């Protein structure tokens, strides 16, 4: 199949998947002028990707890719919260407020971290060929729109839900999980950044700190925190809105089967696969979940 045609087809499928998810999760949700707020969030999410894609393709740069993803998260979450607050006369419930705060904290931390990382590195090697092809680069940005929407779906569905639930055990359980996941992710990223900053470690792999317990502790933290978000959202969901609980499963599958761990494991095998110390590390250190 022609790569360009395949890329366009994938982009269309991504938009359709996100639209179907929005259709399901907007049942019983807030509306504006008879139009589901969740669809407004969806539309703005993809629109932001495509707007930033245009100058990025023209100048063949990926420097604003990750930052755009985080900005999109902030934008669509703010929109959802605005309509919730407007619907309830300027005030909203504790659960919605906390969900927005947690999503904001995650997006700002991760977006800033990734932006600074690519700024220091100068480029993301994954984009070398993609950014020279209009359909392939467009597909990448469109898939980011899908990633943003589905990842945040549980939070967005809960915030735009017309159902209000008082603080309960699910609220605190979800909050604790989110805090644990966030700490794990931040610590893992900091440990790896510090490791790479030392000249003596150039060309070596990290196997200390959290990286001694898991080969991908940052991804473990990511999965845990989104599971926490889904648990917090649970009490205000009903009917088709339960589809939004696929959010943490989506994050898990994406990181373990698609764009995260498989790519990094292949790269690690290429770089250090013949080294005995790496073979020992790989044998004794779990892929994701610590023993």
């Amino acid at each position: 199949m022609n790569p360009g045609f395949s890329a366009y087809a994938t982009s269309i499928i991504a938009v359709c998947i996100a639209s179907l998810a929005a259709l399901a999760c907007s049942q019983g949700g807030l509306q504006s002028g008879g139009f589901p707020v969740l669809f407004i969030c969806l539309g703005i999410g993809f629109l932001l990707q495509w707007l930033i894609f245009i100058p990025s393709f023209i100048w063949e740069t990926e420097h604003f890719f990750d930052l755009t993803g985080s900005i999109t998260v902030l934008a669509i979450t703010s929109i959802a919260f605005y309509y919730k607050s407007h619907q309830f006369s300027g005030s909203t419930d504790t659960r919605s407020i906390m969900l927005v705060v947690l999503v904001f904290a995650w997006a700002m931390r991760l977006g800033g971290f990734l932006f600074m990382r690519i700024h220091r590195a100068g480029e993301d090697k994954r984009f070398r060929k993609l950014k020279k092809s209009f359909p392939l680069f467009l597909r990448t940005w469109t898939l980011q729109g899908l990633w943003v929407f589905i990842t945040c779906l549980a939070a967005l569905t809960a915030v735009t839900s017309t159902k209000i639930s008082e603080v309960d055990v699910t609220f605190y359980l979800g909050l604790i999980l989110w805090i644990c996941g966030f700490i794990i992710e931040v610590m893992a990223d900091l440990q790896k950044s510090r490791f790479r900053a030392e000249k003596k470690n150039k060309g070596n792999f990290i196997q200390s700190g959290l990286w001694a317990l898991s080969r991908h502790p940052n991804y473990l933290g990511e999965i845990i925190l989104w599971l926490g978000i889904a648990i917090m959202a649970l009490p205000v969901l009903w009917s088709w809105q339960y589809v939004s609980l696929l959010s943490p499963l989506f994050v898990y599958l994406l990181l373990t089967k698609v764009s995260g761990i498989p790519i990094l494991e292949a790269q690690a095998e290429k770089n250090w696969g013949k080294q005995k110390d790496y073979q020992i590390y790989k044998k004794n250190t779990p892929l994701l979940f610590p023993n």
Side-chain angles (χ1 to χ4, degrees):
M1 183 181 291
N2 181 280
F5 177 81
S6 177
Y8 286 127
T10 302
S11 296
I12 293 172
I13 291 171
V15 174
C16 290
I17 291 173
S19 299
L20 287 173
L23 179 63
C25 297
S26 63
Q27 305 301 312
L30 296 174
Q31 295 192 355
S32 177
F35 199 73
V37 171
L38 210 52
F39 269 97
I40 296 175
C41 296
L42 172 69
I44 291 177
F46 277 116
L47 182 60
L48 283 173
Q49 303 308 306
W50 296 329
L51 286 175
I52 306 301
F53 156 74
I54 295 172
S56 296
F57 174 71
I58 293 173
W59 288 305
E60 293 187 4
T61 178
E62 71 279 16
H63 281 214
F64 300 101
F65 181 76
D66 292 316
L67 185 62
T68 301
S70 294
I71 291 174
T72 303
V73 172
L74 298 176
I76 63 177
T77 307
S78 297
I79 291 167
F81 185 75
Y82 166 78
Y83 281 105
K84 185 64 167 282
S85 178
H86 181 73
Q87 182 80 12
F88 290 89
S89 302
S91 63
T92 188
D93 61 293
T94 303
R95 193 179 303 271
S96 293
I97 294 173
M98 185 55 67
L99 283 170
V100 171
V101 169
L102 297 182
V103 172
F104 262 55
W106 169 82
M108 290 189 290
R109 201 289 306 183
L110 185 61
F113 172 78
L114 294 176
F115 180 73
M116 292 305 299
R117 187 177 70 178
I118 195 171
H119 178 73
R120 289 192 296 265
E123 69 165 337
D124 187 332
K125 295 179 182 179
R126 299 173 300 171
F127 289 87
R128 281 183 177 175
K129 293 182 179 180
L130 294 176
K131 61 188 178 184
K132 297 180 182 298
S133 168
F134 184 92
L136 295 181
F137 205 31
L138 174 64
R139 178 182 64 184
T140 304
W141 287 81
T142 303
L143 288 175
Q144 177 164 252
L146 173 67
W147 166 73
V148 166
F149 186 73
I150 300 298
T151 298
C152 297
L153 188 58
L156 291 172
T157 304
V159 173
T160 58
S161 176
T162 55
K163 184 178 178 181
I164 301 294
S165 177
E166 298 297 325
V167 170
D168 58 6
V169 65
T170 61
F171 178 90
Y172 291 111
L173 176 59
L175 179 59
I176 291 171
L177 281 174
W178 186 92
I179 292 172
C180 290
F182 187 75
I183 291 174
I184 291 171
E185 185 175 28
V186 172
M187 285 182 61
D189 284 339
L190 285 175
Q191 289 172 355
K192 194 169 188 177
S193 295
R194 289 170 180 170
F195 177 84
R196 287 179 169 176
E198 296 185 21
K199 293 182 179 180
K200 65 178 181 179
N201 295 324
K202 186 176 181 180
N204 295 325
F205 62 93
I206 183 172
Q207 52 181 319
S208 58
L210 292 176
W211 300 85
L213 303 175
S214 167
R215 302 207 298 273
H216 302 279
N218 53 335
Y219 291 158
L220 175 62
E222 181 85 349
I223 293 166
I224 291 173
L225 71 86
W226 285 110
L227 177 60
I229 291 290
I231 291 174
M232 289 184 69
L234 183 59
V236 296
L237 306 179
W238 69 287
S239 187
W240 281 97
Q241 290 181 337
Y242 288 115
V243 170
S244 68
L245 295 178
L246 292 174
S247 171
L249 178 60
F250 171 80
V251 172
Y252 172 79
L253 292 175
L254 184 67
L255 293 178
T256 60
K257 304 298 182 182
V258 185
S259 67
I261 290 177
I263 294 175
L264 293 178
E265 284 290 302
Q267 188 63 47
E269 192 65 31
K270 179 180 178 181
N271 293 338
W272 309 297
K274 296 181 180 180
Q275 296 180 200
K276 189 173 182 179
D277 58 344
Y278 178 73
Q279 293 173 4
I280 295 173
Y281 171 71
K282 186 175 181 179
K283 180 180 178 180
N284 296 331
T285 309
L287 183 66
L288 186 64
F289 298 101
N291 292 329

